[in-house]
Amino acid sequence: MVPAAEGGIGPGILPCSAGFAMTGDTTRDGGGANTDAAKAVNTDADLSRRLSRLDQELGQRRAADARDKAADADPEAGPSPLARGFRLSAEFVAGVGAGAILGWLLDRVLGSSPWGMIVLLMLGFCAGIYNVLRAAGHLRSGTGPSA
């Protein structure tokens, strides 16, 4: 059993006034003087530096979020990818559908079944492809030469 140090509470118990602590506390210098005041000043300066750095990072993130929200709300940013996909598919289906309907009507009127349907369905397919390319921006909608 370890004998009690001076000012001890009981046998085998070492009080904090024994000169060391098991937690690695280095608040005492070699002369035994307490350096809590110096450590508090360093801690305050360190906390102040960290706080200012975090404040700057937070400001940058808030600015980036504001830019993202402004880009989302910008009407010139264009439609969403889902809306763009629906538009392109509707352009294609409308071309093929119009060709099929006109071919069927032409066959009924002229009695040229199935040739009107075949020819106009193929033309509708070509028109649908052309409309998709034009809507996607791969073709110009004007027919004249560019100046």
Side-chain angles (χ1 to χ4, degrees):
M1 193 177 280
V2 178
E6 71 178 69
I9 298 175
I13 299 174
L14 296 176
C16 290
S17 63
F20 66 92
M22 293 179 64
T23 60
D25 187 14
T26 59
T27 58
R28 297 185 179 270
D29 62 1
N34 196 342
T35 59
D36 286 339
K39 185 176 180 181
V41 170
N42 288 340
T43 303
D44 289 344
D46 184 43
L47 288 176
S48 178
R49 259 186 285 122
R50 288 173 48 198
L51 182 61
S52 65
R53 188 186 77 230
L54 290 173
D55 190 35
Q56 289 174 352
E57 288 178 12
L58 185 59
Q60 290 172 353
R61 288 189 184 188
R62 284 182 180 164
D65 288 344
R67 282 192 306 265
D68 290 343
K69 286 181 182 179
D72 290 343
D74 187 15
E76 293 184 18
S80 70
L82 182 64
R84 189 171 170 91
F86 276 129
R87 178 178 178 208
L88 295 177
S89 62
E91 294 279 349
F92 180 72
V93 169
V96 173
I101 290 172
L102 289 176
W104 181 75
L105 289 174
L106 187 67
D107 282 340
R108 287 288 179 163
V109 171
L110 299 178
S112 62
S113 182
W115 296 108
M117 176 80 147
I118 292 172
V119 170
L120 287 177
L121 187 64
M122 289 172 54
L123 285 175
F125 180 80
C126 292
I129 296 290
Y130 175 77
N131 283 339
V132 167
L133 290 174
R134 186 178 48 82
H138 293 291
L139 295 177
R140 293 185 184 176
S141 59
T143 57
S146 60

